[in-house]
Amino acid sequence: MRTHRIFIGLVVLCCFCLPHLIATKPFEVVVDQSGHGHFTKIQKAIDSVPNNNLQWFFIKVKPGIYREKIIIPYDKPYIVIVGGGKRVTRVEWDDHYSPEESPTFSTFADYTVVKRITFVNSYNFPSEGKINKNPRKPAVAALIGGDKSAFYSVGFAGIQDTLWDLDGRHYFHKCTIQGAVDFIFGSGQSIYQSCVIQVLGGLLEPGVAGYITAQGRINPYDANGFVFINCLVHGTGTAFLGRPWRGYSRVIFYNTNMTNVVVPEGWNAWNYVGHEYQLTYVEHGCFGSGSNTSRRVKWVKNLSGSVVQSLADLNFINRDRWVQDLPVAV
């Protein structure tokens, strides 16, 4: 009788424990164009994630060029997409009718994590070393709209409006971002750490300078802004570090290597001439042939060291330590 009670107790205990174990075990699927995975398309793998998902769902993508558009809707959080390497795993599409409709990759969900993959909008982007002759238009490679999302060793390739850092807190680590005009834009609250910013200004009309950033902070109380830490800015042609998409635009380059691709003026007021005092554009501790600030526009901000340090710190986006809690190691 005692043995029988012990057995019943173990069964009851397992009945309570099993759902918890199942709920916390991450799911994993494989995308492989050759048919040796669970899916041959990345979007099909995303579609398989339950709505309002509350556990990490891993999608491993085998090397290859995937011709598809990808959308992660707002009700599919906790998705991790891991490619085989940003040079060998590429997603390409060529929409260009509007910035909203054009992204090759879009995520509106919180807790999106991507690693070792490249997203390309090929409408204007050169292919196999050949110059693309399509007329230049906004053609977005990636739109990042959810909160607490991170990208590790990810490539973003386009010419105009490459990376739409739309909204939310985002972390980019060792990413490569290519473009010529406003190719990092939006109202995100984001840190770009150890990233390569490659200007493709040589693809623009002769004598025309490009623009790296177009940040969209709307008022002085908004927390958002772009912070570049320990990055490399290089490429062909020339480019301004940024121009304001909205009236209180905020961009900081910290301890960044700038080549002579950066124009001596550094920044452009665009549609906000006469309101430059509202803009927060900062360079601190930068070096390289393009970092000389002697000919910069006079309205560049000269913030105190303590203020700069508070902005050029992971806590700018990470006060609740969500970056450390992500399941993908740097």
Side-chain angles (χ1 to χ4, degrees):
M1 180 66 71
R2 183 172 180 273
T3 302
H4 181 65
R5 286 198 299 270
I6 292 172
F7 174 76
I8 293 175
L10 290 172
V11 170
V12 172
L13 178 63
C14 288
C15 288
F16 278 102
C17 292
L18 189 58
H20 176 70
L21 292 173
I22 292 174
T24 57
K25 182 179 179 181
F27 288 99
E28 179 179 300
V29 297
V30 176
V31 179
D32 187 348
Q33 290 178 322
S34 69
H36 292 89
H38 300 92
F39 302 96
T40 58
K41 294 287 187 181
I42 301 170
Q43 187 63 53
K44 291 293 185 182
I46 291 168
D47 293 343
S48 74
V49 178
N51 291 347
N52 303 308
N53 173 52
L54 292 176
Q55 57 189 353
W56 291 110
F57 194 108
F58 284 77
I59 299 173
K60 293 196 172 181
V61 183
K62 295 292 186 179
I65 297 177
Y66 294 80
R67 284 281 303 166
E68 58 176 310
K69 287 188 70 165
I70 298 172
I71 299 177
I72 302 178
Y74 73 94
D75 58 355
K76 290 183 185 287
Y78 299 103
I79 289 178
V80 181
I81 301 175
V82 182
K86 64 181 175 182
R87 295 181 182 275
V88 297
T89 310
R90 295 165 63 90
V91 182
E92 297 186 358
W93 203 253
D94 59 357
D95 271 2
H96 56 279
Y97 296 106
S98 71
E100 294 79 9
E101 296 176 3
S102 67
T104 300
F105 170 82
S106 301
T107 176
F108 300 95
D110 296 346
Y111 292 104
T112 296
V113 181
V114 183
K115 189 172 184 180
R116 298 197 301 261
I117 195 166
T118 290
F119 301 110
V120 183
N121 191 311
S122 59
Y123 178 71
N124 287 132
F125 197 75
S127 176
E128 298 178 354
K130 298 178 181 178
I131 294 178
N132 191 313
K133 295 184 179 180
N134 289 331
R136 176 165 54 85
K137 292 185 177 182
V140 180
L143 181 158
I144 316 302
D147 192 29
K148 298 182 179 180
S149 296
F151 301 81
Y152 302 93
S153 298
V154 174
F156 303 94
I159 298 299
Q160 182 169 339
D161 296 357
T162 301
L163 175 56
W164 192 350
D165 192 346
L166 176 66
D167 191 29
R169 289 167 289 177
H170 308 143
Y171 181 57
F172 299 86
H173 184 268
K174 291 188 176 180
C175 293
T176 299
I177 307 152
Q178 298 171 288
V181 178
D182 302 337
F183 63 98
I184 305 172
F185 76 108
S187 301
Q189 182 176 344
S190 301
I191 284 182
Y192 296 80
Q193 186 165 15
S194 302
C195 292
V196 175
I197 314 301
Q198 185 177 6
V199 176
L200 302 178
L203 300 178
L204 299 177
E205 299 82 359
V208 173
Y211 301 89
I212 295 173
T213 66
Q215 206 277 331
R217 188 163 169 255
I218 294 174
N219 67 66
Y221 307 105
D222 284 344
N224 64 66
F226 299 161
V227 180
F228 297 85
I229 303 173
N230 300 332
C231 293
L232 168 65
V233 178
H234 76 119
T236 63
T238 59
F240 291 86
L241 293 169
R243 61 179 176 177
W245 189 30
R246 298 290 185 265
Y248 287 85
S249 181
R250 179 162 63 176
V251 180
I252 297 168
F253 283 89
Y254 180 85
N255 197 34
T256 286
N257 183 357
M258 299 179 179
T259 70
N260 59 6
V261 73
V262 179
V263 299
E265 304 94 317
W267 307 87
N268 184 286
W270 201 18
N271 294 325
Y272 293 92
V273 173
H275 297 275
E276 292 92 343
Y277 65 93
Q278 299 175 174
L279 309 174
T280 302
Y281 291 153
V282 178
E283 299 168 59
H284 185 90
C286 296
F287 57 97
S289 56
S291 66
N292 188 332
T293 59
S294 63
R295 294 173 57 190
R296 291 292 195 259
V297 292
K298 301 302 182 184
W299 42 266
V300 169
K301 286 289 192 298
N302 184 18
L303 302 179
S304 68
S306 60
V307 173
V308 172
Q309 291 293 337
S310 68
L311 294 171
D313 185 274
L314 191 59
N315 281 337
F316 177 63
I317 61 170
N318 191 48
R319 294 194 181 279
D320 49 359
R321 297 182 62 80
W322 62 270
V323 173
Q324 288 90 332
D325 292 337
L326 297 177
V328 178
V330 174

